[in-house]
């Protein structure tokens, strides 16, 4: 509502100014209140072709268009100073009515020059200031509405996307979001460099809105989104989710007989604690494996969508348990030449002596089967109802009702907008964050009864679509299996193409660049063909 009010005030201020400017030039004033007619008359006054009006309808470009139109009109009246141009755009609702009704300001020409008059050259400082401000505004608008650079920081998408891949994320494919915290420093995400100081102010908060989309999110798209569990952050331990820290601390206090409140302990040890708005939460990239309305399930590590085997990325890493021949020993350093990754440190199930637990591709598995020192090799998965580490338990984080783990999970249905969710002691664990955090309702539970906004109910109607995101490196990915559904208002954009890829482990500069990955279109190469 606030956003629409701001837009309305902005538009009315410009229209009122245009009304008086048109009348001064003998143009019917009513045309100022008819969008396309207003633009056509405006183009005549600033000496630009009529087809420029088409730029009104191009998302992102229209923002540049408006800024240019306003500054050119000021120039046409001889107002060429930086303060005039700045106020013409930033303070338009006040500036243009004052401008138009000021009898001392008169129209001169499209260029602002009288016949025979030569333009006054700008000073060096003004030229640099104009160039710098234009560059910052252009970069900000491009980043906000067109595309943004992103770096792959973790191996959760191996072997599809690699650590050190630099890619561009398209904002316009799914429809760019209108900033929800518009008072922010441009080109920064949530904090000032090398500090925990916020780079934004929350004096104005806008509701979720986005520009028109070119396409909807499709199953198996690679998507960048704001981390849903990042709504609350312990600033001195940001590598772990706040909720995981609290759960682990609660278990430690319980085991030691400590009666302190775990939240107070976490605040003391890792604080300050910061709540972040949606658009300032950390960016994650995963593959969208299920869209609204899909049924999802994992059986022995195999993903099924709507009871059918799901797409499995090429060269996917999978964990394999290797049993060595009797009295044979092999170290991981001896296997360095092979494409393997030690999974034992991440495994919560003990590995027996004489065994190795390695992540590898099918190609590497075929090689290992030929080695004489390999007695047996088979796919490793956690058995059904195997309890993970308590503070890192999987969604919906209630082992009483859901004895799931990362390899045997579900079935679960992904909520969609307008769907009526049935609520009870079991299902409320799936939908608690959806109702309370994502869709901002007051949720209470008393004596086995559920109350939403003070009313007892057994149903809830979704206001948004939701998605299920998973890493291609499924055995080593923090994804929706741990924190659940991703709301549509958390979607940032579509992974577009890789513009640079660096292998940080390479010894020399030439091999540090992965030349074959540069300018690779992500979805053309690593999306399902069907």
């Amino acid at each position: 509502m606030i956003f629409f009010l701001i837009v309305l005030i902005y538009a009315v201020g410009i229209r009122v100014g245009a009304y008086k400017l048109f009348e001064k030039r003998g143009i019917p004033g009513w045309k100022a209140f008819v969008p396309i007619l207003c633009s056509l008359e405006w183009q005549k006054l600033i000496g630009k072709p009529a087809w420029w009006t088409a730029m009104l309808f191009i998302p992102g470009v229209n923002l540049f268009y408006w800024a240019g139109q306003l500054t050119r009109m000021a120039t046409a009246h001889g107002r060429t100073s930086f303060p005039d141009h700045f106020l013409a755009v930033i303070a338009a609702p006040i500036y243009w009515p004052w401008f138009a009704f000021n009898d001392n300001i008169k129209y001169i020409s499209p260029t602002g020059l009288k016949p025979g008059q030569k333009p006054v050259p700008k000073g060096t400082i003004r030229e640099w200031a104009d160039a710098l401000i234009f560059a910052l505004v252009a970069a900000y608008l491009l980043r906000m509405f067109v595309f943004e650079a992103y770096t792959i920081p973790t191996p959760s998408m191996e072997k599809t996307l690699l650590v050190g891949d630099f890619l561009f994320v398209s904002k316009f494919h799914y429809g760019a979001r209108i900033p929800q915290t518009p008072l922010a420093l441009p080109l920064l995400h949530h904090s000032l460099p090398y500090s925990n100081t916020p780079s934004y102010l929350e004096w104005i908060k806008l509701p979720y809105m986005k520009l028109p989309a070119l396409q909807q999110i499709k199953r198996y798209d690679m998507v960048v989104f704001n981390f849903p569990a990042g709504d609350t952050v312990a600033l001195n331990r940001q590598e772990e989710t706040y909720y995981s820290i609290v759960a682990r601390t609660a278990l430690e206090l319980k085991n030691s007989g400590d009666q302190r409140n775990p939240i107070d302990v976490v605040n003391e040890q890792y604080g300050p604690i910061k709540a972040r708005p949606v658009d300032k939460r950390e960016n994650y990239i995963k593959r969208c494996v299920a869209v609204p309305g899909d049924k999802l399930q994992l059986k022995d590590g195999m993903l099924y969508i709507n009871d059918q085997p799901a797409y499995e990325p090429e060269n996917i890493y999978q964990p394999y348990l290797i049993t060595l021949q009797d009295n044979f020993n092999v170290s991981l350093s001896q296997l360095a030449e092979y494409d393997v990754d030690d999974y034992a440190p991440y495994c919560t199930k003990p590995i027996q002596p004489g065994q190795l637990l390695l992540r590898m591709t099918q190609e590497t598995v075929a090689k290992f089967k030929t080695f004489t020192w390999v007695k047996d090799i088979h796919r490793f998965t956690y058995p059904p109802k195997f309890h993970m580490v308590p503070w890192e338990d999987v969604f919906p984080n209630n082992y009483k009702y859901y004895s799931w783990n990362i390899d045997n999970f579900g079935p679960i249905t992904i909520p969609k907008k307008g769907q009526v969710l049935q609520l009870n002691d079991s299902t409320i664990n799936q939908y608690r964050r959806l109702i309370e955090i994502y869709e901002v309702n007051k949720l209470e539970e008393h004596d086995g009864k559920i109350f939403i906004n003070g009313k007892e109910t057994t149903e809830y109607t979704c206001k948004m679509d939701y998605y299920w995101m998973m890493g291609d490196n499924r055995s080593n990915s923090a994804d929706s299996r741990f924190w659940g559904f991703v709301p549509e208002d958390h979607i940032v954009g579509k992974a577009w193409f890789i513009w640079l890829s660096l292998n940080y482990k390479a010894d020399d500069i030439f091999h540090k660049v992965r030349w074959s990955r540069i300018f690779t279109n992500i979805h053309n190469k690593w999306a399902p063909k069907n």
Side-chain angles (χ1 to χ4, degrees), residues 322-339:
I322 301 169
T323 303
L324 307 179
Q325 292 289 357
D326 296 340
N327 302 319
F328 190 89
N329 291 315
V330 62
S331 66
L332 290 174
S333 60
Q334 293 173 290
L335 303 177
E337 63 180 288
Y338 301 103
D339 187 14

Side-chain angles (χ1 to χ4, degrees), residues 32 299 390:
K299 301 177 186 177

Side-chain angles (χ1 to χ4, degrees), residues 154-162 220-223 285-289 298 301 303 311-319 359-361 379 469-479 481 517 522-523 525-528:
T154 69
S156 69
M157 289 295 290
E158 304 259 357
K159 294 284 194 168
T160 306
L161 299 175
L162 308 179
Y220 307 129
D221 277 359
M222 277 175 271
V223 179
I285 182 169
K286 305 289 179 186
R287 192 182 293 273
C288 177
V289 298
L298 281 109
L303 179 64
Y311 164 72
E312 196 164 272
E314 186 180 0
N315 295 323
I316 185 173
Y317 263 145
Q318 300 282 19
R359 276 193 292 254
M360 56 183 77
T361 64
R379 172 76 189 282
M469 309 292 185
M470 289 179 62
D472 285 358
N473 190 4
R474 292 174 188 164
S475 58
N476 186 27
S477 172
D479 52 36
R481 289 171 293 180
R517 298 179 69 82
I522 291 172
H523 283 270
K525 186 168 184 178
W526 292 300

Side-chain angles (χ1 to χ4, degrees), residues 298-302 319 343-351 357 359 379-389 392 394 403-409 474-476 481-482:
L298 281 109
K299 301 177 186 177
D300 296 326
M302 294 295 295
Y343 187 48
Y346 308 98
C347 183
T348 59
K349 186 176 182 181
I351 304 303
L357 186 56
R359 276 193 292 254
R379 172 76 189 282
F380 172 86
T381 59
Y382 287 110
K385 299 185 179 182
F386 179 83
H387 198 178
M388 309 288 286
V389 178
E392 292 182 339
V394 298
S403 54
W404 298 345
N405 58 52
I406 62 172
D407 291 319
N408 286 278
F409 186 99
R474 292 174 188 164
S475 58
N476 186 27
R481 289 171 293 180
F482 292 92

